[in-house]
Amino acid sequence: MWKDYPLAVGGKPLNSNVQPSQSWCHTEIFFRQWSFCGPWFTGYMGRTSCYLEVVELAEPNSRLNFMHPKALEVASLSYLTANYGHEVIDRDSGEMNYIAPLNWSVVTQLEIPTVQFDSENTIGSADPERHVFIPISRRHIAHFSFNTVQNASGTREEVDKKVDPAPFKELVDNIVGSIRVTLSPEAQADWDEIRKSNPDAKVSETCAPLKWPADVDKDGLTILEYDPKRYA
């Protein structure tokens, strides 16, 4: 865990290979990884990691307030598209390397709007990754990502038969279920005002997978038709 993460001074741009649009910045908070071993003589079975970062737009937008459920929803999908949407297996066919969101749901133990969903590789064993997005101020979102790798080869179905995915999922569910958030007075005031003026505002209960490959505009929020030359 990093000892100092001054959000007020702004985050760092993500590597252009990860995010070609360079439209979001992030502040790294912590990373932890757990290894799973099977019964005697079966050895290493896989790992799950937990990474927490705080993300914000590279160019702040004063009209946006990520405490609003719909703004959080748009930001979550756009941020993931900025990082994953440009990944293609074959540029000629445009076949995407990732699919998301999957298993979209609302994290109900928090009073503020919070979403979680999965992303997966479209080939091989999928290597599922859980994403949790929590607004913590008008312009900051806490992003948890949990990546699981099972130590087996084959398709997703074949891997799950060789290495039971249940213990990995249980760990992730327990961590997500333990998250608690205490807002700053300013953020709490923002959230109280949103609830007062928009009492019915909430994050969508379902969300279909996005049409990838795709790019994100420099504003960080507008999803564009994929163009391999856009940020080359």
Side-chain angles (χ1 to χ4, degrees):
M1 186 171 190
W2 279 260
K3 295 183 181 295
D4 185 30
Y5 33 91
L7 302 182
V9 301
K12 301 181 297 183
L14 281 86
N15 187 292
S16 60
N17 291 326
V18 174
Q19 189 182 101
S21 67
Q22 296 280 275
S23 53
W24 290 83
C25 292
H26 72 145
T27 301
E28 298 172 313
I29 307 298
F30 72 75
F31 175 84
R32 184 171 292 176
Q33 182 170 289
W34 297 264
S35 294
F36 287 76
C37 294
W40 282 83
F41 305 113
T42 58
Y44 175 74
M45 305 302 288
R47 59 173 172 77
T48 291
S49 63
C50 173
Y51 173 60
L52 172 62
E53 62 180 352
V54 172
V55 301
E56 58 187 300
L57 290 171
E59 295 294 334
N61 187 332
S62 60
R63 296 174 297 173
L64 276 177
N65 183 351
F66 290 143
M67 300 300 299
H68 193 288
K70 292 304 179 185
L72 172 70
E73 185 175 329
V74 170
S76 302
L77 296 173
S78 298
Y79 180 72
L80 213 68
T81 300
N83 290 352
Y84 292 77
H86 63 95
E87 293 276 358
V88 293
I89 299 171
D90 183 354
R91 284 195 173 187
D92 293 330
S93 67
E95 186 179 358
M96 59 189 182
N97 197 27
Y98 291 94
I99 183 171
L102 301 171
N103 306 315
W104 173 282
S105 66
V106 178
V107 179
T108 56
Q109 85 262 14
L110 300 178
E111 293 185 1
I112 53 177
T114 303
V115 296
Q116 66 174 337
F117 54 84
D118 298 336
S119 63
E120 291 185 355
N121 285 323
T122 57
I123 56 175
S125 58
D127 291 343
E129 185 172 1
R130 176 88 60 87
H131 302 272
V132 181
F133 288 88
I134 309 170
I136 57 174
S137 81
R138 293 180 65 89
R139 64 188 185 94
H140 295 102
I141 300 173
H143 171 223
F144 285 89
S145 61
F146 302 87
N147 182 255
T148 293
V149 176
Q150 294 150 268
N151 189 34
S153 59
T155 64
R156 173 69 180 274
E157 291 74 18
E158 292 169 339
V159 168
D160 284 350
K161 287 180 180 179
K162 297 173 184 176
V163 178
D164 184 4
F168 303 90
K169 293 179 180 178
E170 182 181 10
L171 172 62
V172 174
D173 288 341
N174 286 342
I175 295 173
V176 174
S178 73
I179 296 173
R180 300 293 183 270
V181 175
T182 301
L183 296 175
S184 69
E186 295 80 7
Q188 186 65 57
D190 273 340
W191 176 227
D192 290 343
E193 179 59 30
I194 289 171
R195 286 191 294 181
K196 180 180 178 180
S197 57
N198 301 273
D200 296 326
K202 60 181 181 180
V203 176
S204 300
E205 295 183 359
T206 61
C207 185
L210 293 166
K211 184 181 178 181
W212 286 352
D215 293 322
V216 169
D217 197 5
K218 286 289 187 178
D219 66 6
L221 300 171
T222 306
I223 296 177
L224 305 170
E225 184 176 350
Y226 175 70
D227 180 356
K229 299 179 180 180
R230 176 170 282 115
Y231 299 116

